[in-house]
Amino acid sequence: MITTTVAPFSKNEKEYLTIVDVLTELEEQGIPLNKKQIDFRRKSGQVSSRIVPAEIQFQKVKGHGAKLLIKKEDIVNYIERLKKQSVFITYKDVKSVVENYDEVMLKPARIAMRANRNFTGKIEDEIKGKLVEWGLAKYAKQKLGIELVIDFATITVTTRKRDEGDFVKVLVNGKEKNIPDELKISIKSTSGNLLAVPEIETTWEGEWFVLAKLHIENKFLYDAIKAGFGILELDIERNIGCKSTPTL
């Protein structure tokens, strides 16, 4: 659980808040988001016959002009719920991912979208993607005492299928044990309650599917680069955002 010493909007007396108000407060609460991510959370949709509501509702309020607003009580409750579903991500977590995932990040992309990305874009995507898994493992350990094993191995034709699941092993008394097939976990990163995936990915194996969100500073990699050149002193224990798990 993420905790802060100041309750959300405790010093704000307004009844309704703008998107800018919310973004500023989220930054102060250690959950940095940008407007695009807020826009995703305002979307609703339908999966089969099930209606998926928007996470947060901004709307015009009579007497407040054309600005989109949200009631302070609603966004306070949302922030508190988000913190309960989240764990902090630090540069120490980023360091662990880079150390363990080096071989994969240096492997040439062969097909699909990854082959068209430049190297730095690929690196950022790979780090963020693995941080989502790292965050879920961190969440499971803190909340449930379960130690999920993160797979950092490269995927080749001669090894396991990519769709076997993101988490297929767990640590028990310091030893790796296979997770039963009916409990294997697949995880996807998203910005809202909905997720667009290629049709082929809907057939991936796994019995538990988790949608997770990575709330992380946009400049976290740039700061790491500056630290590498001695331009910036990096605090490896500093919180640079969090990962939340809204759906399991």
Side-chain angles (χ1 to χ4, degrees):
M1 179 189 303
I2 291 176
T3 58
T4 49
T5 56
V6 180
F9 297 105
S10 59
K11 298 180 181 179
N12 192 316
E13 297 181 355
K14 291 190 291 186
E15 182 180 3
Y16 292 96
L17 304 164
T18 66
I19 291 178
V20 173
D21 291 332
V22 171
L23 291 175
T24 300
E25 185 66 26
L26 285 168
E27 183 79 24
E28 293 179 0
Q29 292 290 328
I31 312 172
L33 296 179
N34 56 44
K35 186 178 181 301
K36 182 178 179 180
Q37 291 170 316
I38 290 293
D39 291 339
F40 273 119
R41 285 160 175 75
R42 293 173 50 214
K43 295 181 182 295
S44 60
Q46 183 172 330
V47 178
S48 298
S49 59
R50 179 188 174 192
I51 300 298
V52 181
E55 281 191 70
I56 46 180
Q57 297 279 358
F58 283 86
Q59 56 191 349
K60 295 179 183 178
V61 177
K62 186 176 180 180
H64 291 267
K67 292 184 296 185
L68 291 174
L69 302 170
I70 189 169
K71 198 168 184 179
K72 182 169 68 173
E73 179 183 357
D74 292 340
I75 195 62
V76 166
N77 291 336
Y78 175 73
I79 291 175
E80 294 291 4
R81 176 168 61 84
L82 194 61
K83 290 195 293 183
K84 290 179 181 178
Q85 294 174 320
S86 303
V87 290
F88 273 134
I89 298 294
T90 70
Y91 271 115
K92 188 174 182 179
D93 296 318
V94 177
K95 179 176 180 288
S96 296
V97 167
V98 173
E99 287 175 338
N100 286 283
Y101 214 37
D102 188 54
E103 184 179 355
V104 173
M105 288 193 282
L106 293 177
K107 183 179 179 181
R110 294 184 299 170
I111 58 175
M113 290 178 62
R114 293 189 181 190
N116 296 321
R117 295 175 184 163
N118 60 38
F119 182 71
T120 53
K122 175 182 179 293
I123 291 298
E124 181 173 6
D125 286 346
E126 294 284 4
I127 291 175
K128 284 184 175 180
K130 217 59 183 179
L131 278 174
V132 172
E133 295 181 33
W134 187 275
L136 180 61
K138 194 173 184 179
Y139 181 92
K141 186 174 181 179
Q142 288 185 10
K143 291 281 189 175
L144 306 172
I146 297 173
E147 294 190 68
L148 297 172
V149 177
I150 301 174
D151 185 5
F152 287 101
T154 57
I155 298 171
T156 68
V157 176
T158 58
T159 61
R160 71 169 179 80
K161 295 186 296 182
R162 176 175 182 152
D163 60 2
E164 184 177 350
D166 292 309
F167 292 99
V168 297
K169 293 181 182 294
V170 64
L171 281 181
V172 179
N173 297 324
K175 296 182 178 180
E176 291 189 7
K177 301 289 184 180
N178 291 327
I179 294 176
D181 288 342
E182 65 272 15
L183 295 177
K184 287 181 177 178
I185 300 171
S186 290
I187 183 170
K188 278 291 184 180
S189 177
T190 181
S191 292
N193 279 345
L194 299 172
L195 177 68
V197 297
E199 184 177 356
I200 185 62
E201 295 188 11
T202 63
T203 62
W204 280 16
E205 297 176 7
E207 293 299 322
W208 292 85
F209 295 88
V210 179
L211 294 185
K213 300 170 188 171
L214 185 67
H215 314 275
I216 197 168
E217 295 177 355
N218 289 330
K219 64 184 183 70
F220 81 102
L221 275 184
Y222 182 54
D223 281 351
I225 292 171
K226 289 195 293 184
F229 284 114
I231 300 172
L232 176 71
E233 184 175 351
L234 205 63
D235 179 1
I236 200 168
E237 299 285 353
R238 184 174 74 84
N239 298 318
I240 57 175
C242 68
K243 186 217 69 77
S244 63
T245 307
T247 305
L248 178 58

